[in-house]
Amino acid sequence: MPTSQDMTTELDPGLLDALQHQVAVFARRAEQTRLGGTGQLRNSMDRAAYLLLNRLDQEGPMGVKALAAGMGIDSSTVTRQVAPLVDTGLVKRTSHPEDGRAVVLQLSPRGLARLEEVRSSRRQLMAEVTEGWTEAERASFCTLLTRFNTALSARQSGHGGPAGGPAGNESLPAS
């Protein structure tokens, strides 16, 4: 079986250099804009907050451990990231219906409204950035970016599964 070193030498190093450079540029630009949408600072949202709110919206109320596991991060990290969302009223802490000692995190109506505001702004940004693209090009880019993120997620979690498999920890948000 070829090692990853063998596989790297078989591939075009120039292309791999260009790919890693473009990923680095993308990461920097994404952080600079916080993918906040169409220039409205109020529609900017911290990446961690967006991902947490989005997961709670898609999957419903859940405990810290389940949220952390689903996102591939540590429970203490989720606890730290959720605290300001609770303080600002975007997330509610409630008692687990079957075990009153356990805490369940739930997207509040205010959180859902804020999430929809950010999603709408980000949709507009994506439309503007890909204005000259066909729907097929947008779909292809989305498929490849999802595949890339899935492969990175699998590598980080030590599962190293197939790079073309189903979406990983950060599935596509519902529009």
Side-chain angles (χ1 to χ4, degrees), residues 50 54 57-58 115-123 173-174:
Y50 176 79
N54 192 62
D57 181 44
Q58 289 186 345
L115 181 60
E116 282 303 323
E117 185 177 68
V118 171
R119 279 181 181 158
S120 176
S121 183
R122 287 180 177 193
R123 256 186 239 114

Side-chain angles (χ1 to χ4, degrees), residues 6-166:
D6 294 337
M7 290 174 22
T8 302
T9 56
E10 292 174 14
L11 301 174
D12 178 357
L15 181 58
L16 295 175
D17 286 346
L19 179 60
Q20 68 81 20
H21 177 77
Q22 289 304 318
V23 168
V25 169
F26 170 76
R28 182 184 62 213
R29 297 227 194 290
E31 277 305 308
Q32 284 173 337
T33 63
R34 296 214 181 260
L35 288 179
T38 54
Q40 300 172 0
L41 184 57
R42 67 184 183 83
N43 283 339
S44 176
M45 181 180 278
D46 175 90
R47 178 190 50 204
Y50 176 79
L51 292 172
L52 286 167
L53 294 177
N54 192 62
R55 182 156 297 270
L56 288 172
D57 181 44
Q58 289 186 345
E59 297 186 20
M62 66 181 73
V64 170
K65 284 184 181 180
L67 188 54
M71 296 183 72
I73 57 179
D74 189 74
S75 293
S76 63
T77 302
V78 168
T79 300
R80 188 175 60 254
Q81 292 175 347
V82 163
L85 301 176
V86 171
D87 292 345
T88 57
L90 300 178
V91 171
K92 297 187 296 186
R93 280 191 179 123
T94 59
S95 295
H96 191 283
E98 296 166 10
D99 179 2
R101 298 170 297 167
V103 173
V104 174
L105 301 170
Q106 180 176 3
L107 191 62
S108 71
R110 180 176 179 202
L112 180 58
R114 179 77 177 102
L115 181 60
E116 282 303 323
E117 185 177 68
V118 171
R119 279 181 181 158
S120 176
S121 183
R122 287 180 177 193
R123 256 186 239 114
Q124 182 62 35
L125 175 64
M126 293 299 106
E128 289 176 13
V129 169
T130 63
E131 186 175 345
W133 300 22
T134 66
E135 284 303 304
E137 288 171 326
R138 285 184 182 118
S140 179
F141 181 69
C142 188
T143 297
L144 290 171
L145 191 55
T146 300
R147 183 176 174 187
F148 182 81
N149 283 329
T150 299
L152 277 178
S153 179
R155 180 177 172 80
Q156 289 171 339
S157 67
H159 298 317

